[in-house]
Amino acid sequence: MGGLHVTVCPAFGVEFGQRFDACQGHAGVRFGGRVGLRIPGNMLGLARRSWETPQALVVAEQEVPQEPEPEKQTPASLPGPGVDSILALATQASLSTATLEAFRSSIEDYWRRDDQHGGEALRPAIVGQLRYVVGLLKESRPPAIQNGLFGIAAELARLTGWTYFDARQYNQARAYFTEALRLAKEIDDRQFMANVLACMSLQATYQDKPADSLALVTAAQDQARSALGTTPRVLSMLSMREAFAHATLGNQTATHRAIGEAHRHFEQIQAGDPDPSWVTYFDEPKLIVDTGIAHGRLGEAATAEPLIADALRREDHTNQRGRAFHAFWLARTRLDQGKLDHACNTATQALKPASAVASERVSGHLREFYDQLAPHRREPAALAFEARLRELLPPVSGSLRP
């Protein structure tokens, strides 16, 4: 096809598209592409074109100004985190034995609250204090103060690990337990190292690693025996953890032997023994209930039931998690003996303390008991327990298998 000759009117103008040939000095333009003739819209019965309005009269679209998002601020009465760090650098902390006692008092309070409510809400405060104490360790201080700080940091790390263990976050728990071991080793506190290893042994039983549990508690006992001044209460607690490990392995003879050792050590306790604060919880009711649980792990339900029941009657009522935990063990031993109504009634009574504490470990025992009820799901006692469970602990009941 040949080219098209177009005479251009100065009033219009020509808009060339892709390719064109212009003949300079002629009145027309020959092109081989597309062309847009700027013909006013009213001449073609169309709307007014954008180019028809003189540039001076064009009204540019105004963007609606965006209001900047307000910065998230801390309450006016609190300095920002950056200011806190500056003030910490500018302040030379002067520590004394009274300061160390204040730290230890707060740790005891943390443990008491952990028993009552669980560690989930406490953990940020515990970790914050741990970081603060570790920061203090970077400065040079008298040996007595420095060693005291190492001990406090070790206990805060163990407590943090325990809150993760109770939440069944085992990797995090192991990391903090390991840090607690390192801190205790700095001051050669072998009794405390034994305590941390015992915690790790207990966690291994929950992870279905009984061989690891036994290895860890054996190492704990070695540390305790090599330490000067290890008290009978500490040795009794460690022997009971050994019994748990053997029971998880299903070794009846070794379990009974370790239980006997725990009771023998406990009988040697004297009123004036210099027990570390972290082992004072291991009193007679605790010894009895742990003995019952060890027998229960072996499947010796008839032996376990009266021991756990007796300990529950004597246990501190403020220890919500412990009471819930031990009550479910009692219910389990009763169910193992075919006492369905009695077992479900015991488990139902335990739901109140269980609902008062945030503990995934307790929730796990709830699920285990519920699963054990599978053959009796249609029985009135089991239905009543399930109804009460769904009423008091919806998050737990929502994860139950029908």
Side-chain angles (χ1 to χ4, degrees), residues 149-346:
L149 286 174
F150 268 110
I152 289 164
E155 178 64 337
L156 287 167
R158 182 181 79 98
L159 177 51
T160 305
W162 182 266
T163 66
Y164 278 117
F165 161 60
D166 195 50
R168 290 196 170 191
Q169 297 181 34
Y170 298 136
N171 289 337
Q172 288 279 42
R174 188 181 185 92
Y176 277 96
F177 286 148
T178 302
E179 181 63 12
L181 276 176
R182 186 190 68 79
L183 289 163
K185 190 173 183 179
E186 287 286 337
I187 54 174
D188 197 29
D189 189 344
R190 299 184 187 184
Q191 283 197 81
F192 190 80
M193 291 174 68
N195 184 29
V196 177
L197 289 166
C199 290
M200 298 175 83
S201 171
L202 182 63
Q203 176 173 302
T205 65
Y206 276 82
Q207 294 179 279
D208 294 323
K209 298 177 179 179
D212 289 0
S213 175
L214 183 58
L216 287 163
V217 76
T218 300
Q221 290 170 317
D222 289 342
Q223 287 290 333
R225 293 189 188 103
S226 68
L228 294 175
T230 299
T231 65
R233 193 183 302 271
V234 171
L235 294 173
S236 179
M237 180 272 289
L238 293 175
S239 292
M240 190 54 67
R241 294 288 173 87
E242 181 191 355
F244 284 173
H246 287 305
T248 306
L249 284 165
N251 190 329
Q252 185 182 53
T253 301
T255 302
H256 289 177
R257 179 191 55 75
I259 289 173
E261 283 291 302
H263 283 259
R264 183 178 64 80
H265 287 305
F266 198 88
E267 290 170 359
Q268 296 173 0
I269 292 175
Q270 302 292 326
D273 287 344
D275 286 320
S277 60
W278 45 259
V279 78
T280 54
Y281 79 96
F282 196 78
D283 54 12
E284 188 175 21
K286 180 62 174 169
L287 173 71
I288 293 171
V289 76
D290 281 359
T291 300
I293 290 171
H295 283 294
R297 286 182 184 274
L298 283 175
E300 299 171 346
T303 303
E305 180 190 356
L307 293 169
I308 300 173
D310 177 50
L312 263 174
R313 283 191 293 268
R314 301 163 59 183
E315 194 166 23
D316 187 349
H317 283 261
T318 63
N319 186 354
Q320 303 275 21
R321 181 180 51 213
R323 291 187 63 78
F325 176 67
H326 298 145
F328 282 113
W329 263 105
L330 180 59
R332 178 176 171 176
T333 60
R334 287 170 172 170
L335 186 62
D336 287 345
Q337 296 176 81
K339 303 176 182 179
L340 177 63
D341 290 356
H342 206 180
C344 288
N345 182 55
T346 301

Side-chain angles (χ1 to χ4, degrees), residues 13-82:
V14 178
E15 181 182 9
F16 297 96
Q18 294 176 344
R19 60 189 184 275
F20 63 89
D21 294 318
C23 297
Q24 191 172 10
H26 292 79
V29 177
R30 184 175 301 276
F31 60 93
R34 73 170 183 270
V35 63
L37 301 180
R38 305 185 74 164
I39 303 173
N42 66 334
M43 294 180 65
L44 301 175
L46 300 173
R48 186 181 183 88
R49 311 296 182 84
S50 60
W51 49 265
E52 295 182 61
T53 304
Q55 188 65 32
L57 300 180
V58 174
V59 179
E61 291 187 9
Q62 297 290 326
E63 292 188 3
V64 179
Q66 298 290 329
E67 294 185 6
E69 294 185 5
E71 294 183 5
K72 294 181 179 179
Q73 297 181 349
T74 55
S77 60
L78 297 178

Side-chain angles (χ1 to χ4, degrees), residues 357-368:
V357 64
S359 170
E360 182 58 31
R361 194 159 53 107
V362 169
S363 298
H365 285 290
L366 271 168
R367 296 186 190 98
E368 290 170 9

